[in-house]
Amino acid sequence: AQSVSQHNHHVILSEAASLELGCNYSYGGTVNLFWYVQYPGQHLQLLLKYFSGDPLVKGIKGFEAEFIKSKFSFNLRKPSVQWSDTAEYFCAVSSNFGNEKLTFGTGTRLTIIP
Amino acid sequence: ETGVTQSPTHLIKTRGQQVTLRCSSQSGHNTVSWYQQALGQGPQFIFQYYREEENGRGNFPPRFSGLQFPNYSSELNVNALELDDSALYLCASSGGTGVISYNEQFFGPGTRLTVL
């Protein structure tokens, strides 16, 4: 069975600080990896995704993530955060077959202090 | 292109009642997945429908059931509501003509269900 761990439950940063949110997954096969963001009062939106190829993936709003297969990790990074990045961030995994379910982590709440 | 829509936005029910939630998939998508997101948790997979057939189910009891219609819209039905069913119910659609698109799910705004 798939599982996803997000060890940072709540992260508080000042504007312009660098961000790294951890994500580790457990699955025996080839996976697709995702980061979703949920801004206050809004629906889940895809930040970035990894299917194959270059393990460094760039997403929207300056976010990037690196897939490290040997560590079963897909950490999210941003060099300089903004107040508008305040949101809940979810890492998710699916198997590498079409239309498979997403397994989500418990989420990391990110609070940016102006 | 119209995104994923869900109705109603909010719903209050009492324990033991039944509820039906609705989802319209994004244009061109033939697959709908339903998730339950309890407060402070990540979404949990309930089930998926592909071309009107159930295509995978998570760890939810049979009182959670669904339908998908020929236009690929979908319903989630929950019978004998329990207090723990209070959550945000998310619908996501996927599918299309490209291989890559089959693995990306687009989420609706959700239906907030409160069971008293």
Side-chain angles (χ1 to χ4, degrees), chain B residues 11-87:
Chain B
L11 205 50
I12 299 175
K13 292 285 189 179
T14 56
R15 200 168 43 180
Q17 286 189 310
Q18 178 265 343
V19 70
T20 297
L21 311 181
R22 294 177 176 81
C23 170
S24 291
S25 59
Q26 186 165 311
S27 176
H29 286 180
N30 55 21
T31 301
V32 171
S33 303
W34 286 92
Y35 294 83
Q36 180 196 66
Q37 186 178 12
L39 202 60
Q41 300 296 316
Q44 287 199 338
F45 176 75
I46 303 174
F47 44 55
Q48 182 181 85
Y49 279 84
Y50 172 65
R51 294 186 175 182
E52 303 179 58
E53 297 286 331
E54 189 177 288
N55 182 39
R57 188 179 182 92
N59 190 26
F60 281 82
R63 58 190 185 84
F64 285 78
S65 63
L67 281 174
Q68 188 179 32
F69 300 99
N71 66 354
Y72 303 130
S73 65
S74 177
E75 285 182 355
L76 164 64
N77 299 291
V78 187
N79 292 322
L81 283 167
E82 300 178 359
L83 298 179
D84 285 348
D85 295 334
S86 294

